[in-house]
Amino acid sequence: MQNKKCKNISRREFLKKLGLGAGFAGLALTGCKSASDKATANQAALKDIPTDKMTYRVNPKTGEKVSILGYGCMRWPTIPLDGENGEDKIDQETVNRLIDTALAHGVNYFDTSPAYCKGRSEHATGIALSRHPRDSYFIATKLSNFAPQTWSREASIAMYKNSLKELQTDHIDYMLLHSIGGGKGMEDFNARYIDNGILDFLLAEREAGRIKNLGFSYHGDVAVFDWALANHDKYKWDFVQIQLNYLDWKHAKELNPRNTNGEYLYGELEKRGIPAIIMEPLLGGRLANVPDHIATRLLEKEPERSVASWAFRYAGSHPDVLTVLSGMTYMEHLEDNLRTFSPLVPLTEEETKFLYDTADLMVQYPTVACNDCKYCMPCPYGIDIPAILLHYNKCVNQGNVAESKQSPNYAEARRAFLVGYDRSVPKLRQASHCIGCNQCSPHCPQSIDIPKELHRIDAYVEYLKRNMT
């Protein structure tokens, strides 16, 4: 049914409402897009973005005002060097432009890590930020000592000092123990931070002022999360970074038994008055690229907003959230988020219930819990793991995964899956090349059995190739 707000408008205005402003020409070149694609495309033509309306939250320890929109520096834009082998370099000019735009519109929190962008994020972020006054932004980075060879005191301290060097700064505003709870839970936590004395070292750095705020990010074994909070009086965590979105609030464990529902994580922080930093408000893009009927449901409810804006408003509406991170690779992502948070309009009680009802509908779709973090990369056999899983998820959301030849839309779904697969993933990087070495799964914060999923998807691709009709 046509929404009343969409009547009696020009084609240009209609495209704007669907998010097809300045980006429409590019979309036209790449073929048809789903409703969810349209809803997350460029909305630059909707209205001017204010430079003085950003919503801020106050850090209770320092009194500093932190922008509710934080810039996640995990997915900086790249320039391909050798497309077939996946080699690339960070597009520094575009990174500079994105950070300049963010700062000009009030964003002052930038989150990076030695592990992001194949180890290149801190360097690129440091170059871009160092062009601005140091007191105009907050830097967050992490001790990303995932690999056992980095667990020694010497290696961990070297990683920390290299972060200061790459970021061109003499202090870190927000320092995190990265992804506690992963691997073997408390055993890995003790090896990474306690037995080697590194947590004591970081506490001393905080005391010396080279770290302004110390916290941790959490994925995995909830026993580690609970232990860290049980020892809050000892460590005095200044903040904690958690995964929170309207799908994970109650359904995280349904989607992945190793995950913890956001309702519990946020509630435990709220009890102790610890500010929350929010990661994965879009679940690696899955709450922007939703099934078509979900996108339609959200757009009919609020035609002037993008699908993604619902998820960001949800995360920001929690009062103890200090900032909501978004990995904004493209200017249109940044512009859409600036509109959402300049200023933030918190969700009403009715809108929150609407999103929880939406989440109940979404859990019926069996997507793989990939957040495109790329911790599984690089694959020693050159497989583009995230691209494969994201293509599969996209086809699930668009109804292009037919169970058998007897499915009513089999021919259409078959073509869409195979053609899209070859376009999204070069043949030498597809799932057929996985030998099951399992060097990837231990690094996955979502605890995905990656070889199992790759083999399942490859078997499905082979089925489609063998069965034309």
Side-chain angles (χ1 to χ4, degrees):
M1 184 176 71
Q2 187 182 35
N3 190 287
K4 291 181 180 179
K5 293 185 179 181
C6 292
K7 290 183 178 179
N8 301 319
I9 60 175
S10 69
R11 178 176 181 274
R12 178 179 177 81
E13 290 171 322
F14 177 71
L15 293 174
K16 289 177 185 178
K17 290 180 182 294
L18 281 180
L20 296 176
F24 179 65
L27 292 175
L29 293 174
T30 57
C32 297
K33 297 287 181 179
S34 70
S36 57
D37 290 321
K38 294 174 183 177
T40 56
N42 185 16
Q43 292 191 318
L46 283 174
K47 59 181 179 180
D48 292 336
I49 305 170
T51 57
D52 59 349
K53 300 297 183 182
M54 174 61 64
T55 295
Y56 293 90
R57 295 278 168 81
V58 176
N59 180 327
K61 172 188 174 182
T62 66
E64 294 168 326
K65 293 182 178 180
V66 178
S67 58
I68 189 66
L69 173 60
Y71 214 123
C73 305
M74 179 191 287
R75 300 180 177 94
W76 283 134
T78 58
I79 300 171
L81 297 177
D82 183 342
E84 190 66 17
N85 293 324
E87 296 298 326
D88 56 25
K89 66 175 183 178
I90 289 182
D91 183 351
Q92 188 65 54
E93 182 179 341
T94 300
V95 171
N96 292 351
R97 188 162 60 250
L98 287 166
I99 283 183
D100 292 351
T101 302
L103 285 166
H105 290 82
V107 176
N108 64 9
Y109 189 98
F110 296 84
D111 172 90
T112 183
S113 156
Y116 293 169
C117 301
K118 303 177 184 177
R120 302 171 301 187
S121 175
E122 285 185 326
H123 183 72
T125 304
I127 290 174
L129 286 175
S130 65
R131 298 155 49 249
H132 298 271
R134 182 61 181 89
D135 61 1
S136 66
Y137 55 86
F138 303 112
I139 293 177
T141 195
K142 308 169 183 72
L143 189 59
S144 306
N145 56 347
F146 301 131
Q149 60 265 32
T150 65
W151 290 355
S152 71
R153 179 181 178 86
E154 294 75 20
S156 295
I157 291 176
M159 180 180 290
Y160 165 72
K161 290 183 175 179
N162 190 62
S163 291
L164 291 168
K165 176 184 175 183
E166 296 284 22
L167 291 165
Q168 303 184 39
T169 183
D170 61 359
H171 69 277
I172 303 297
D173 300 292
Y174 290 81
M175 186 72 193
L176 297 90
L177 313 184
H178 197 176
S179 193
I180 72 168
K184 297 179 181 178
M186 281 303 305
E187 181 180 338
D188 280 11
F189 179 85
N190 287 329
R192 292 174 65 190
Y193 299 118
I194 304 298
D195 299 341
N196 57 11
I198 285 301
L199 182 50
D200 289 335
F201 168 80
L202 295 176
L203 291 169
E205 288 294 285
R206 181 174 65 179
E207 185 67 24
R210 286 181 287 273
I211 293 174
K212 304 300 182 182
N213 299 273
L214 181 63
F216 61 86
S217 63
Y218 161 74
H219 282 291
D221 186 350
V222 72
V224 185
F225 177 84
D226 290 340
W227 181 91
L229 292 192
N231 286 273
H232 176 50
D233 288 344
K234 178 180 180 180
Y235 298 119
K236 294 180 171 54
W237 306 112
D238 298 305
F239 67 102
V240 172
Q241 188 163 304
I242 59 172
Q243 182 168 310
L244 185 145
N245 51 73
Y246 65 83
L247 187 59
D248 276 341
W249 185 252
K250 292 184 182 293
H251 294 295
K253 291 191 74 66
E254 294 175 53
L255 298 170
N256 188 330
R258 190 171 167 82
N259 284 350
T260 306
N261 286 347
E263 183 178 25
Y264 176 80
L265 300 176
Y266 179 80
E268 291 301 299
L269 298 180
E270 187 178 37
K271 286 179 191 175
R272 296 167 175 82
I274 302 174
I277 306 292
I278 303 307
M279 58 183 167
E280 302 298 348
L282 290 180
L283 268 178
R286 280 186 285 160
L287 296 185
N289 298 300
V290 297
D292 284 359
H293 75 284
I294 298 294
T296 299
R297 170 183 169 87
L298 295 172
L299 288 169
E300 286 181 347
K301 182 74 172 178
E302 186 55 78
E304 299 292 340
R305 295 185 183 273
S306 69
V307 167
S309 70
W310 280 98
F312 286 115
R313 287 179 63 210
Y314 173 81
S317 293
H318 293 79
D320 285 350
V321 166
L322 188 62
T323 192
V324 179
L325 300 176
S326 176
M328 297 169 281
T329 307
Y330 304 109
M331 189 65 74
E332 54 262 38
H333 297 161
L334 173 57
E335 290 173 345
D336 188 38
N337 290 345
L338 288 171
R339 291 189 180 90
T340 298
F341 290 112
S342 301
L344 168 68
V345 179
L347 293 175
T348 65
E349 185 176 334
E350 185 273 334
E351 287 175 324
T352 302
K353 182 181 184 304
F354 170 77
L355 281 186
Y356 289 148
D357 291 342
T358 302
D360 292 341
L361 295 173
M362 289 185 66
V363 293
Q364 301 172 24
Y365 283 74
T367 56
V368 181
C370 176
N371 290 347
D372 195 26
C373 68
K374 296 182 174 61
Y375 289 177
C376 57
M377 299 293 282
C379 167
Y381 295 91
I383 299 168
D384 193 340
I385 298 168
I388 295 167
L389 300 183
L390 293 176
H391 172 70
Y392 177 82
N393 284 347
K394 179 179 180 180
C395 288
V396 169
N397 286 337
Q398 295 179 358
N400 288 326
V401 176
E403 295 181 3
S404 70
K405 290 174 62 177
Q406 285 68 47
S407 300
N409 69 328
Y410 177 78
E412 179 184 354
R414 174 186 178 276
R415 183 181 184 281
F417 193 102
L418 292 178
V419 172
Y421 190 42
D422 285 342
R423 287 178 177 174
S424 301
V425 189
K427 289 187 181 296
L428 291 179
R429 309 195 73 199
Q430 292 181 358
S432 58
H433 296 279
C434 176
I435 68 164
C437 70
N438 202 36
Q439 292 191 35
C440 46
S441 294
H443 302 291
C444 178
Q446 303 299 326
S447 302
I448 301 169
D449 186 339
I450 295 173
K452 178 181 177 181
E453 294 295 344
L454 293 181
H455 292 158
R456 181 174 67 86
I457 292 170
D458 183 52
Y460 178 65
V461 169
E462 290 303 313
Y463 174 85
L464 295 178
K465 290 179 177 177
R466 290 194 308 269
N467 297 273
M468 295 186 62
T469 55

